[in-house]
Amino acid sequence: MLVRDAMSTVVLTIGPTHTLRQAARLMSARRIGAAVVHDPDTCGLGIITERDILNAIGSGQNPDRETASAHTTTDVVFAAPAWTLEEAAEAMTHGGFRHLIVLDDSGPVGIVSVRDIIRCWAPARRRTVAAAAGSA
């Protein structure tokens, strides 16, 4: 199975000056765990996740003053829609993160998360277990 089959095509893109509270509200309203941060001054893409926001607030930072740019991961590993889920899972495991921005030639087309991968792998695992039990 490929990343394009598992990814969420709901891509929230925010600017670097969004506050953490604004980012959290937008992410919560869409029921997503990460947002792409586009900085037009650097032409770069980054990512901010629910964990980034949680860590900032947990350390006492003010979510109404702190901006997304201060908490954005900018050394992002991007996935291609044609990657296998194994390749995506390997990149996440190696990098220690749970989300990958999926890019094609036109820019961000999705985000794939660990949850998305598990959602795809779980039914296949159940079928494998059931088939093995039926042949025993």
Side-chain angles (χ1 to χ4, degrees):
M1 189 167 265
L2 302 178
V3 165
R4 74 169 53 91
D5 303 319
M7 71 183 190
S8 169
T9 56
V10 176
V11 180
L12 172 62
T13 302
I14 64 172
T17 60
H18 277 78
T19 66
L20 294 183
R21 185 175 311 279
Q22 290 169 325
R25 280 188 182 137
L26 292 167
M27 290 163 58
S28 178
R30 289 162 179 80
R31 300 177 52 94
I32 56 175
V36 174
V37 181
H38 177 249
D39 188 341
D41 293 334
T42 65
C43 296
L45 294 177
I47 190 167
I48 188 166
T49 67
E50 57 201 353
R51 182 173 289 172
D52 297 324
I53 295 169
L54 182 67
N55 287 340
I57 294 170
S59 69
Q61 296 179 19
N62 185 329
D64 294 312
R65 288 198 192 109
E66 288 294 313
T67 61
S69 65
H71 301 278
T72 297
T73 300
T74 55
D75 58 339
V76 179
V77 175
F78 298 100
W83 276 18
T84 65
L85 294 184
E86 288 81 7
E87 289 172 305
E90 185 176 317
M92 290 177 188
T93 301
H94 180 74
F97 44 80
R98 298 179 299 156
H99 298 85
L100 287 169
I101 299 171
V102 183
L103 291 180
D104 70 6
D105 295 334
S106 66
V109 293
I111 293 184
V112 66
S113 69
V114 169
R115 182 178 297 162
D116 296 326
I117 293 171
I118 291 170
R119 191 177 302 122
C120 290
W121 281 349
R125 172 87 173 123
R126 283 193 297 270
R127 286 191 300 271
T128 302
V129 169
S135 64

